[in-house]
Amino acid sequence: MKLGSHVSVSGKGLLSAVKEAISYNADTFMIYTGAPQNTRRKNIEDMFIGEGLSLMKEYGIEDFIVHAPYIMNFASPNKETFQMSVDFLAKEIVRTEAMGAPYIVMHPGAHVGSGEEIGLQRIVEGLNEVITSKQRVKIALELMAGKGTELNYKFEHSAYIMDKVKYPDKLTVCFDTCHTHDAGYDIINDFDGVMDYFDRIIGIERLEVFHINGSLNQRGKRKDRHANIGADENNPKGKDYIGLKALKYIVHHEAALGKPCILETPWIDKKTNLYKEEIIMLK
């Protein structure tokens, strides 16, 4: 089992991120190379990569994940937004490879009214511009909740993208528990069945990253609002409608073993090491 959380590169880049992950007793972690809301990034030389990798080795942390910023939209009908997304992901892949991370997670995009079929075609077009046969990093297509015109809320969307891109071996899937629950998949009562369906549609070997989050919504609401694991009505951030029992089952499931499982739960404003507590709960 590999459990970790999102951590910050603020300060000394990768070294700061590793130190934060260690404070949570994490086995893995996920970073944004800069703020997820913009494209401003430090130079690779200023990211303390060597120091970070050395500290990872010292504590037995084998790998970590990079998450691409939210502002990218490969499905956008706007040419400038589309090209910005393509150009920036290409740069992020270079940064991810320089840091030694095996995966970069991305939100595939929203069609903004142009329709799902056209939006999916745009995603394929953009990925074909970015992906090269020689890149080592895999792009993990994050399964989404389906809010608004958001795509990849169905397993079939990922299967379509992988079937159409030139280098499908460079793609994998990131399974977000909040998103898939909100999209309508019954991960609470029938995670085995969800995994069987995933295997039929995409192939279980394509599932390589998990985001482990509770949900503030009942199944199928398509809203994407993360909750703390097992939180009840008295929690200041709201109730978790997925629950500890279901999430614990998922991280211990054979489909998740050996794969990075990353917490993106809200940080409650209290004096506690929240991610450390949630990792203990799940273990």
Side-chain angles (χ1 to χ4, degrees), residues 215-251:
S215 175
L216 292 176
N217 301 289
Q218 294 179 339
R219 180 163 66 95
K221 293 298 184 180
R222 294 175 64 169
K223 289 185 177 180
D224 184 12
R225 296 169 65 217
H226 296 191
N228 296 104
I229 295 172
D232 59 23
E233 290 86 350
N234 298 317
N235 186 286
K237 294 288 186 178
K239 178 181 177 180
D240 171 20
Y241 279 93
I242 298 176
L244 173 61
K245 182 180 178 181
L247 293 175
K248 193 170 183 178
Y249 182 81
I250 291 169
V251 299

Side-chain angles (χ1 to χ4, degrees), residues 3 11 23 28 35 50 92 99 108 113 144 164 177 227 240 242 253-254:
L3 283 172
S23 76
T28 186
E92 283 286 78
M99 288 187 286
M144 305 305 293
K164 299 295 182 182
T177 55
D240 171 20
I242 298 176
H253 195 277
E254 61 181 0

Side-chain angles (χ1 to χ4, degrees), residues 151-169:
L151 294 169
N152 213 41
Y153 64 93
K154 295 179 179 179
F155 297 166
E156 288 81 0
H157 289 177
S158 287
Y160 176 91
I161 294 167
M162 290 178 168
D163 183 60
K164 299 295 182 182
V165 295
K166 187 175 181 181
Y167 300 112
D169 60 308

Side-chain angles (χ1 to χ4, degrees), residues 2 14 20 45 84 90 93 163 173 203 205 256:
K2 290 183 179 180
L14 185 59
E20 185 179 350
E45 296 78 14
M84 177 278 294
I93 289 173
D163 183 60
V173 173
E205 71 281 357

Side-chain angles (χ1 to χ4, degrees), residues 180-181 184-192 194 219:
T180 50
H181 165 84
Y185 293 98
D186 189 0
I187 66 170
I188 299 173
N189 303 300
D190 191 23
F191 185 71
D192 287 352
V194 172
R219 180 163 66 95

Side-chain angles (χ1 to χ4, degrees), residues 237-275:
K237 294 288 186 178
K239 178 181 177 180
D240 171 20
Y241 279 93
I242 298 176
L244 173 61
K245 182 180 178 181
L247 293 175
K248 193 170 183 178
Y249 182 81
I250 291 169
V251 299
H252 287 267
H253 195 277
E254 61 181 0
L257 294 182
K259 298 170 184 177
C261 294
I262 305 295
L263 293 163
E264 299 176 307
T265 50
W267 192 266
I268 300 173
D269 186 19
K270 65 177 184 177
K271 294 180 179 179
T272 181
N273 192 331
L274 184 65
Y275 287 140

Side-chain angles (χ1 to χ4, degrees), residues 45-71:
E45 296 78 14
D46 299 326
M47 289 293 287
F48 293 82
I49 295 171
E51 295 89 338
L53 293 175
S54 294
L55 192 59
M56 283 176 61
K57 185 175 181 181
E58 180 181 341
Y59 280 84
I61 300 175
E62 296 178 353
D63 53 28
F64 66 98
I65 310 301
V66 171
H67 199 305
Y70 305 140
I71 58 171

